[in-house]
Amino acid sequence: MRDGQFLSLHRRSVGIEVDAENAARARLRAPSALIHSGDFFTWASRTDERFEAAVGNPPFIRYQLFSGDVRELANKVASRLGADFNGLSSSWAPFLVVTSGLLKPGGRMAFVVPAEIGHATYAAPLLECLCANFTQVGVVAIRDKLFPELSEDAWLLYCSGYGGRAEAIKWCALERFTEFSGPPKFEQSISLEEWRAAGCRLRRFVLARRSLALYKELAATPGVRRFAEVAHAGIGYVTGANDFFHLRPARPSCGICRAAVCG
Ligand SMILES: C[S@@+](CC[C@H](N)C(=O)[O-])C[C@H]1O[C@@H](n2cnc3c(N)ncnc32)[C@H](O)[C@@H]1O
């Protein structure tokens, strides 16, 4: 996706870009658009403008790097709009909530989002907030990478009817992204009740319905234990630095056999 690509398709559009070079590129690509240079959250917290629609590909800045005043303002404005994000939330989540607050009643928005929306803990306050403010909230999971050059998988989010309320998340799982002129046909509707019962995670719905039904049947079978009941899976990373014992202070060793002298 190149800067200004969305705006170039919509004559009377407004864009906000913090990076001056990207903003300049976007102005070249979308000369009819009004492009503000600066921090989106500062602009959003001050503007009285309201819009029929919004589209975007927000920055996927992880919580470790999404910090300082920008983060504080982002979370403050998002909280005012009904979404309280914890310290682990990446930048894209408040971008979506704050954008929604810039819509006119009945407004709609479409975003490229990281697949984390399907499992991250902070996706819960985001989707709760969107469902509390839109008539329809739809998530499109895409199995193939949307951006092969990125480590992150990306999905699509469609929200319409700002000011309404949704009791379910519309769902569609695609093998790969193909261009379409509007929101895809959402074959499935996941009630908020079912989503909450699944720990506010959408990822399981990527499974084919038969696999999901089998999973549920197994999970309900007496004697079947969930992995989390017997083990704990943590996020770790492999450094390859296997000769880790150099890191420990050398223990006195036997002068003869070099064996460690155990006290
Ligand atoms: C994933 S890229 C999207 C680029 C392009 N505009 C598009 O829609 O495809 C995210 C863009 O957001 C910009 N950005 C990051 N933080 C921002 C902020 N606080 N306010 C405005 N723009 C920001 C980055 O400079 C980057 O150009």
Side-chain angles (χ1 to χ4, degrees):
M1 200 95 49
R2 296 185 309 287
D3 296 303
Q5 182 150 352
F6 290 126
L7 300 172
S8 65
L9 302 171
H10 303 278
R11 284 190 55 71
R12 291 178 42 250
S13 52
V14 175
I16 301 91
E17 170 56 67
V18 76
D19 179 279
E21 274 181 38
N22 294 348
R25 258 199 302 274
R27 287 189 186 98
L28 287 176
R29 186 164 287 116
S32 66
L34 168 60
I35 297 171
H36 301 285
S37 285
D39 167 45
F40 165 72
F41 299 107
T42 307
W43 175 81
S45 63
R46 293 181 184 153
T47 185
D48 299 327
E49 286 187 85
R50 293 295 178 262
F51 303 88
E52 281 89 19
V55 291
N57 173 19
F60 300 172
I61 307 170
R62 290 206 170 287
Y63 73 90
Q64 297 96 329
L65 301 171
F66 182 49
S67 55
D69 299 347
V70 172
R71 177 196 177 85
E72 207 180 305
L73 178 60
N75 288 346
K76 198 168 97 189
V77 183
S79 177
R80 270 206 305 259
L81 291 161
D84 291 313
F85 292 114
N86 63 22
L88 296 177
S89 70
S90 298
S91 63
W92 61 275
F95 259 92
L96 272 59
V97 172
V98 176
T99 300
S100 70
L102 298 170
L103 294 174
K104 291 178 180 173
R108 61 197 196 285
M109 65 183 202
F111 275 94
V112 176
V113 291
E116 280 177 9
I117 196 169
H119 61 264
T121 51
Y122 62 88
L126 167 69
L127 286 166
E128 292 281 8
C129 178
L130 296 178
C131 288
N133 290 284
F134 285 93
T135 313
Q136 179 165 299
V137 174
V139 175
V140 181
I142 304 166
R143 292 194 181 91
D144 278 6
K145 273 193 172 303
L146 194 52
F147 306 117
E149 72 283 6
L150 287 186
S151 62
E152 186 82 55
D153 287 337
W155 292 0
L156 301 174
L157 173 82
Y158 292 87
C159 300
S160 56
Y162 186 62
R165 198 178 181 79
E167 295 307 327
I169 297 168
K170 298 288 181 191
W171 176 254
C172 166
L174 303 175
E175 269 317 308
R176 64 191 55 76
F177 173 77
T178 48
E179 287 214 16
F180 30 73
S181 58
K185 192 168 167 338
F186 290 104
E187 312 120 343
Q188 212 174 331
S189 189
I190 302 164
S191 73
L192 290 185
E193 203 185 328
E194 193 179 359
W195 171 68
R196 291 178 187 129
C200 295
R201 294 166 187 258
L202 287 169
R203 200 159 269 280
R204 67 166 57 183
F205 299 100
V206 173
L207 291 172
R209 286 187 210 217
R210 274 186 50 226
S211 313
L212 184 56
L214 175 61
Y215 167 81
K216 287 182 180 165
E217 190 192 320
L218 282 173
T221 306
V224 170
R225 309 282 298 282
R226 289 173 180 280
F227 180 82
E229 290 169 42
V230 294
H232 166 72
I235 296 176
Y237 58 94
V238 178
T239 67
N242 300 321
D243 48 357
F244 65 88
F245 50 76
H246 285 312
L247 302 173
R248 281 185 302 166
R251 291 195 296 174
S253 65
C254 160
I256 301 162
C257 69
R258 317 281 314 142
V261 176
C262 46

